[in-house]
Amino acid sequence: MQGKLLTKDRLTNRGISSDGLCVLCGNAPESIEHLFYECHFSKLCINETLQWLKISITNYEGQHLWKRIGRKMESKFRREFSYAIVAALSYHIWRGRNEALWKCAVPSPSKICAQIEKECKVRVWR
């Protein structure tokens, strides 16, 4: 994922953008690490998703979130389901970032998490 997403830090390095701040929080330069794991917006989404999954993780930094969630699951099905949720979470955070960038409207973390929960439940029921 890191090499492909054109986050603001990469756009600034390429001379395409002069504003490198995260559009979701406006408090830090937008990078992969910040956008998906350090941003206040993303942390709210992660925390709400972890509550829904009934997983208690206090320290989740970077790519280690996947591994930490996987270790908390007892069965293969629950582990794969949780990985699908983390993938959906990443997708929706990126989508929320783009909505904030292009439509100047930051989506609600609760709305994003409700959408993730709905989508993942529908996929399991199919």
Side-chain angles (χ1 to χ4, degrees):
M1 174 169 36
Q2 286 184 333
K4 305 220 184 223
L5 293 179
L6 290 176
T7 52
K8 283 190 159 189
D9 63 337
R10 297 188 77 217
L11 293 172
T12 302
N13 288 342
R14 292 180 180 188
I16 297 170
S17 175
S18 60
D19 174 25
L21 285 180
C22 174
V23 294
L24 294 172
C25 72
N27 294 324
E30 183 187 274
S31 65
I32 296 286
E33 282 294 313
H34 172 77
L35 182 62
F36 292 105
Y37 307 105
E38 298 166 359
C39 180
H40 178 70
F41 176 88
S42 299
K43 284 184 178 182
L44 290 173
C45 292
I46 291 168
N47 286 331
E48 193 167 327
T49 301
L50 291 175
Q51 285 176 359
W52 171 54
L53 291 172
K54 295 180 177 56
I55 297 174
S56 176
I57 297 175
T58 54
N59 181 16
Y60 46 84
E61 46 184 73
Q63 302 293 329
H64 301 293
L65 179 63
W66 294 82
K67 291 179 184 176
R68 294 180 71 91
I69 288 176
R71 285 188 214 128
K72 298 279 185 175
M73 298 295 138
E74 315 84 49
S75 70
K76 181 180 178 184
F77 171 78
R78 286 183 51 85
R79 188 170 29 262
E80 288 176 357
F81 183 67
S82 67
Y83 291 156
I85 290 169
V86 174
L89 182 59
S90 298
Y91 169 78
H92 281 282
I93 289 171
W94 181 250
R95 193 169 163 204
R97 176 260 190 205
N98 286 336
E99 187 174 324
L101 180 65
W102 299 108
K103 296 181 181 178
C104 298
V106 177
S108 156
S110 294
K111 182 179 174 184
I112 285 177
C113 292
Q115 184 68 29
I116 291 168
E117 185 175 341
K118 178 182 172 186
E119 288 172 6
C120 289
K121 284 180 178 178
V122 166
R123 289 192 184 271
V124 168
W125 290 333
R126 284 186 181 172

